Amino acid sequence: MVGIYARVSTEEQAKSGFSLDDQIRECRKKAGTLDVVEYVDDMSGEFLDRPALTKLRQDVKDGVITKIICLDPDRLSRKLMNQLLITDEFDKRGIELVFVNGEYAKTPEGQLFYSMRGAIAEFEKAKINERMSRGRREKARQGRVLRDFQIYGYSYDPEKEQMIVNEGEAAVVRLIFDLFTQPNELVQGMNGIAKYLTEKGIPTKRGARVWHRQVVRQLLMNEAYIGRFYQNRWNTEGMLGNKFRNSEEKVRMRQRPQEEWIQLSCPAIIDEVKFEHAQKLLKESRRRWAGRSLNQYLLSGLLRCGDCGNTMTGRKSKNWGEHVFEYTDVKNTAGAQNHGCGRKIKCEELDEEVWETVRSWLDNPDEIAAAVEERSEAPYELAEVERLQKELEKTRNGRKRLLKLFSSGEEDLGEEEIRQELRDLKAREERLLQQLTELEEQAQRMKESGYNRDLLQEAAKYYLSKKPDELTFEDKRELIRHVVREIRVYENNIELYTF
């Protein structure tokens, strides 16, 4: 049985105009018989895993095909290594391989000529990719959007090559940001937003009926909503053939260095202040909403010991035969780096003190916001920077001590053990430095935005719309979380840090 193999990719067809039908017709003419089996791929020759080629190779192994006709060697593959692999596989099974454009001779000269043609085909493919990439980058630098990136809230205008606001989807985007950043009775967290949108029957960008938490998270993190859109950010080279690869061989999308990104302006849907607030909530969402326990605590995820720096969590303990709810910084897990200084305080006492403080803010939002803006001795960012600097100093001192012990030979430590400890300390130092940089940037942005007043006014409006006896546990918790970023607990006092 004679097999005909044909392949074309979009860019090749656009360039040469040699379609699949043309190839098959020429191959049938070369075969001189109607008794043929056609194997056709409509994709790039860069990949070895192609459905029709895979089927052809299997039929050759099974003895179904004894002769193969192809228009040109580069139809088999655009990579010389793959081309030679396929040809060798057919040769070993005694398959006659015929090309319409040129003969394939199993002689030293024929093999050399064949290899040269394959190398030229691979070079040509590389040049095509290079020209296309360069052309796309140049278009991006001119402010043209290359394609429809399927961003929820926007549509693509192919004539102007620009993104335009899709008003229906944009309203949903604003709703999502409002639900995430403002106190409300509808939802809690990203998972709650996803469930709410699903229940309301709102479709996703791709028309799916179910929203997932990760989709909501990606939407909340997308800078396009404040008018910053990047092209040339992701390297997708080699991903085209992913659906023909198994999970281990799949090519992953990689982020290019930031200096290679090309920023374009697009219509903003969300104001920058609200977007920045959402980013801060996202960074803390894991801590704030992690692991709902059997008992609910008003201040869970907000407390930190002012002395040892450990977060404080709620627990139920037994004191003189009586059960007491308390917050403590003690960490008993095996992997805890800091087991805490043992600070604990009754939930009832701390909850009441914090709520009364927040309630006084909500009764006088303008006065408190002005006072917070004027007070500069201990804002959250500065206190956090101070804590991280102490951690950084401890880490650096730890590295110095470890190197000193190793060089003195006083401790019986193996070289590999020392290296691992140094690597861990170095990684910790890099993480702390990154956190310091982010905090300094946040402090500058918050200084410029003056967002404290707006947050308090939003929370106060919600608070004043209720009667005091109507406020539920969830209402109080949402109001506290809306205006309080962290609470530091000391021996005789507490400090509340706002956003």
Side-chain angles (χ1 to χ4, degrees):
M1 179 71 72
V2 177
I4 289 176
Y5 181 75
R7 181 194 64 78
V8 71
S9 61
T10 306
E11 71 268 18
E12 288 169 337
Q13 187 166 353
K15 178 185 175 184
S16 63
F18 216 59
S19 68
L20 288 171
D21 290 338
D22 294 329
Q23 290 184 51
I24 292 170
R25 183 174 61 253
E26 292 297 320
C27 290
R28 280 182 172 275
K29 190 186 299 184
K30 186 76 173 180
T33 177
L34 298 176
D35 191 15
V36 297
V37 179
E38 296 175 3
Y39 299 86
V40 180
D41 276 318
D42 186 6
M43 63 179 296
S44 173
E46 182 181 354
F47 314 110
L48 186 59
D49 292 329
R50 286 169 259 151
L53 181 61
T54 301
K55 179 69 167 59
L56 172 60
R57 293 168 69 189
Q58 185 59 50
D59 286 350
V60 167
K61 288 180 182 178
D62 295 340
V64 177
I65 300 297
T66 56
K67 182 179 180 179
I68 298 172
I69 298 177
C70 189
L71 182 72
D72 199 84
D74 65 7
R75 299 302 88 201
L76 285 178
S77 180
R78 279 283 194 174
K79 283 193 173 182
L80 177 59
M81 183 181 69
N82 291 341
Q83 207 176 93
L84 294 175
L85 186 149
I86 296 167
T87 306
D88 184 61
E89 185 178 302
F90 293 162
D91 285 345
K92 286 179 179 178
R93 298 185 180 275
I95 304 299
E96 184 183 355
L97 183 58
V98 178
F99 296 108
V100 175
N101 298 331
E103 296 297 328
Y104 171 61
K106 297 181 184 179
T107 62
E109 292 81 4
Q111 293 283 0
L112 176 61
F113 181 65
Y114 182 74
S115 298
M116 288 174 63
R117 290 190 65 177
I120 292 169
E122 185 170 346
F123 171 75
E124 186 182 32
K125 175 64 177 178
K127 291 300 290 182
I128 290 171
N129 288 340
E130 181 191 4
R131 284 194 293 269
M132 290 179 65
S133 297
R134 188 167 60 245
R136 285 193 293 264
R137 288 194 298 271
E138 184 57 35
K139 286 176 67 176
R141 291 190 184 98
Q142 294 171 8
R144 296 152 67 185
V145 180
L146 301 177
R147 60 180 175 83
D148 187 356
F149 285 88
Q150 293 288 305
I151 301 175
Y152 195 88
Y154 296 97
S155 297
Y156 179 64
D157 185 339
E159 292 184 3
K160 296 181 179 179
E161 295 182 304
Q162 296 293 323
M163 291 193 300
I164 56 175
V165 175
N166 180 319
E167 292 300 339
E169 293 178 354
V172 178
V173 172
R174 297 185 189 102
L175 172 65
I176 291 171
F177 274 87
D178 287 343
L179 291 174
F180 189 68
T181 59
Q182 297 177 8
N184 63 84
E185 298 175 331
L186 293 175
V187 300
Q188 288 186 348
M190 289 177 286
N191 198 49
I193 294 173
K195 288 182 178 179
Y196 178 78
L197 296 174
T198 301
E199 289 169 0
K200 291 296 180 182
I202 299 171
T204 67
K205 187 68 174 179
R206 302 185 185 280
R209 297 180 180 179
V210 179
W211 286 74
H212 295 284
R213 180 182 183 278
Q214 187 60 25
V215 175
V216 175
R217 181 180 181 83
Q218 290 171 352
L219 189 148
L220 288 167
M221 293 174 65
N222 197 333
E223 291 183 274
Y225 297 126
I226 54 173
R228 289 202 296 263
F229 173 67
Y230 297 97
Q231 294 189 126
N232 203 49
R233 180 174 181 175
W234 299 100
N235 185 351
T236 59
E237 184 179 356
M239 291 183 62
L240 187 63
N242 269 352
K243 62 182 178 179
F244 305 114
R245 296 185 173 102
N246 58 43
S247 58
E248 294 180 359
E249 295 176 339
K250 283 190 181 297
V251 176
R252 307 298 174 189
M253 186 164 61
R254 303 178 302 281
Q255 186 168 276
R256 291 188 171 95
Q258 193 164 355
E259 58 269 18
E260 295 183 19
W261 301 0
I262 301 171
Q263 181 177 336
L264 274 70
S265 61
C266 66
I269 295 176
I270 302 296
D271 68 80
E272 193 165 345
V273 173
K274 179 171 288 188
F275 183 84
E276 291 297 340
H277 181 50
Q279 304 319 297
K280 292 177 182 178
L281 292 177
L282 280 168
K283 288 182 180 178
E284 298 173 3
S285 62
R286 186 174 180 182
R287 172 182 158 194
R288 286 171 165 237
W289 301 105
R292 295 305 182 97
S293 61
L294 182 63
N295 302 304
Q296 297 293 299
Y297 299 92
L298 188 68
L299 308 177
S300 61
L302 298 176
L303 299 173
R304 186 183 296 276
C305 175
D307 292 322
C308 71
N310 262 11
T311 56
M312 299 181 70
T313 54
R315 72 178 184 184
K316 183 179 180 182
S317 65
K318 206 168 187 178
N319 187 17
W320 296 92
E322 193 175 319
H323 287 289
V324 178
F325 291 97
E326 63 184 15
Y327 297 109
T328 179
D329 66 4
V330 175
K331 309 293 182 188
N332 292 320
T333 55
Q337 294 182 352
N338 185 355
H339 290 282
C341 60
R343 173 157 292 146
K344 53 186 179 181
I345 184 170
K346 288 184 179 179
C347 291
E348 186 178 358
E349 295 175 4
L350 189 57
D351 289 353
E352 184 176 354
E353 183 177 355
V354 171
W355 171 245
E356 285 303 314
T357 302
V358 172
R359 189 182 61 78
S360 69
W361 292 356
L362 300 176
D363 284 331
N364 305 283
D366 291 328
E367 293 177 18
I368 299 298
V372 169
E373 288 172 8
E374 290 172 6
R375 188 182 67 193
S376 60
E377 62 271 14
Y380 173 83
E381 281 78 9
L382 292 181
E384 190 68 2
V385 164
E386 184 180 350
R387 183 182 73 82
L388 288 173
Q389 284 174 338
K390 289 179 180 177
E391 289 291 319
L392 189 58
E393 187 64 26
K394 283 167 60 179
T395 302
R396 286 171 174 167
N397 288 336
R399 288 178 66 196
K400 290 177 183 177
R401 284 195 301 270
L402 196 60
L403 287 168
K404 188 175 180 180
L405 284 171
F406 181 61
S407 61
S408 66
E410 294 177 8
E411 295 288 332
D412 186 20
L413 296 173
E415 183 178 347
E416 185 53 40
E417 186 179 354
I418 289 285
R419 290 181 184 277
Q420 185 58 49
E421 285 288 335
L422 287 170
R423 282 195 292 267
D424 292 343
L425 288 170
K426 179 64 175 175
R428 177 173 172 77
E429 183 179 337
E430 289 174 354
R431 285 197 302 272
L432 289 169
L433 284 170
Q434 183 179 354
Q435 290 173 14
L436 275 171
T437 302
E438 291 175 355
L439 276 170
E440 287 165 357
E441 291 174 355
Q442 286 176 8
Q444 183 61 31
R445 285 197 297 266
M446 292 307 291
K447 184 179 180 181
E448 294 171 356
S449 69
Y451 199 42
N452 288 331
R453 186 185 299 274
D454 295 335
L455 285 173
L456 281 166
Q457 287 175 341
E458 282 181 8
K461 184 178 179 181
Y462 179 78
Y463 166 72
L464 295 172
S465 69
K466 300 270 189 179
K467 294 180 180 178
D469 56 351
E470 288 181 351
L471 287 171
T472 63
F473 174 87
E474 287 75 19
D475 287 332
K476 291 181 178 179
R477 183 169 58 188
E478 280 301 303
L479 286 166
I480 291 171
R481 286 164 183 255
H482 192 61
V483 296
V484 176
R485 186 171 185 178
E486 185 168 277
I487 303 166
R488 298 280 173 91
V489 182
Y490 296 92
E491 184 67 33
N492 298 314
N493 68 297
I494 62 171
E495 291 181 357
L496 276 68
Y497 296 94
T498 59
F499 284 98

